[in-house]
Amino acid sequence: MLDVKGLQVRYGTVLGVDGLDLHVNQGEIVVLIGANGAGKSSTVNAIAGLVRPVAGLIKFRDADMGKLDAAARVEHGMALVIEGRGVFSEMTVRENLELGAYSRPAIRSAALRRAADHAIAMFPRLGDRFDQAAGTLSGGEQQMLAIARALMSSPKLLVLDEPSLGLAPRIVDEIAERLTLLSSEEGVTILIAEQNASLGLDIAKRGYILQNGRIALEGTAPELHSNTDLIRFYLGGQSYVRT
Ligand SMILES: Nc1ncnc2c1ncn2[C@@H]1O[C@H](COP(=O)(O)OP(=O)(O)OP(=O)(O)O)[C@@H](O)[C@H]1O
Ligand SMILES: [Mg+2]
């Protein structure tokens, strides 16, 4: 479904991504694990069209994404939950969700309401806070809102950049559980960039370990699970890996 080849992202003289290949098959949950600065955000931002790579091919659902801007990629069925969530704090939960449907301008209010109902069915606590300003939500609730907002465009591929960042383990587990359901019950394909290897490997089918902008290791989740020492090494000992 998603095929990335030879991706290179450069910031002036800094190489953020240095010739990366990865693919995600229809229906899979795939995790891209890496330490701070490994190039996770650069990779997913390039996939979503937020940064322009200097080289490489990004193919999604049989189409070349190279010339498409971020909005066109959303229309094509890709949605990114950016690192740090990016919810609009002054706007209510409802307004944030409505913004997520911007790629579907013809959507009528009843359909919009249905889409919002569907998105919050995943995260019921958002329903209780529908008319509350997003900035007053807890960090975990804001992450849930960011995911729910991405779902408003009915993506075929959901890409998440560090969904566990700054959240308590219980909330991370809740989000992981919802993402698993999204995949198994609704067939949404998921790519997660994470520093938290345990979150990724608990729910993913396959994973890639990223180091200095390159894939250092790849394998099925059980294969990577059995290599926790190696993962710890690539993560510079900074991440806890559940064994
Ligand atoms: N806007 C930018 N300008 C210059 N350098 C950048 C920029 N964004 C990223 N970089 C550099 O590119 C490299 C990869 O950064 P990136 O943000 O992709 O890593 P990351 O894996 O997402 O890290 P983190 O876990 O801290 O979010 C780093 O060396 C970083 O300093
Ligand atoms: Mg990042």
Side-chain angles (χ1 to χ4, degrees):
M1 169 181 249
L2 174 72
D3 212 352
V4 178
K5 286 215 161 61
L7 185 72
Q8 235 180 50
V9 176
R10 186 181 281 282
Y11 307 98
T13 56
V14 177
L15 210 50
V17 180
D18 185 13
L20 170 143
D21 295 347
L22 69 76
H23 68 274
V24 182
N25 299 318
Q26 167 94 39
E28 273 189 321
I29 302 181
V30 172
V31 66
L32 181 64
I33 299 168
N36 283 128
K40 303 180 295 297
S41 298
S42 302
T43 301
V44 297
N45 288 340
I47 290 171
L50 298 183
V51 305
R52 185 168 284 282
V54 290
L57 188 76
I58 298 168
K59 225 171 125 188
F60 175 56
R61 299 174 76 206
D62 293 326
D64 179 2
M65 296 290 108
K67 293 209 162 45
L68 301 185
D69 65 12
R73 294 183 202 196
V74 174
E75 276 173 44
H76 218 78
M78 191 190 282
L80 170 67
V81 179
I82 61 167
E83 182 178 296
R85 300 152 205 153
V87 301
F88 296 97
S89 8
E90 308 291 316
M91 293 184 177
T92 64
V93 167
R94 178 205 307 274
E95 289 163 343
N96 270 277
L97 288 175
E98 286 172 359
L99 275 178
Y102 76 91
S103 67
R104 303 158 78 190
I107 192 169
R108 293 178 180 278
S109 57
L112 194 63
R113 177 69 218 200
R114 263 201 311 280
D117 282 350
H118 180 70
I120 60 178
M122 256 190 88
F123 299 113
R125 56 169 100 187
L126 292 180
D128 304 334
R129 294 164 175 79
F130 215 52
D131 293 307
Q132 195 172 316
T136 64
L137 300 178
S138 73
E141 289 157 0
Q142 288 188 27
Q143 183 63 64
M144 292 171 194
L145 175 57
I147 297 171
R149 186 177 62 186
L151 294 177
M152 292 292 287
S153 66
S154 291
K156 302 271 186 280
L157 172 70
L158 179 66
V159 184
L160 302 112
D161 193 355
E162 297 218 45
S164 78
L165 197 68
L167 304 183
R170 192 175 50 79
I171 304 291
V172 173
D173 286 348
E174 188 176 332
I175 290 176
E177 190 184 305
R178 297 295 151 185
L179 292 176
T180 306
L181 280 177
L182 193 64
S183 161
S184 63
E185 293 191 354
E186 301 187 31
V188 178
T189 304
I190 299 176
L191 173 63
I192 309 174
E194 261 298 341
Q195 213 174 115
N196 180 342
S198 73
L199 163 75
L201 290 177
D202 276 354
I203 67 171
K205 189 169 165 223
R206 284 193 305 118
Y208 295 88
I209 313 289
L210 187 62
Q211 192 192 33
N212 297 329
R214 290 165 180 259
I215 301 297
L217 192 69
E218 64 176 285
T220 64
E223 281 164 2
L224 293 175
H225 251 309
S226 62
N227 253 327
T228 49
D229 286 346
L230 208 52
I231 294 177
R232 231 179 242 123
F233 168 75
Y234 284 122
L235 290 175
Q238 68 176 230
S239 182
Y240 156 68
V241 177
R242 203 181 292 163
T243 50

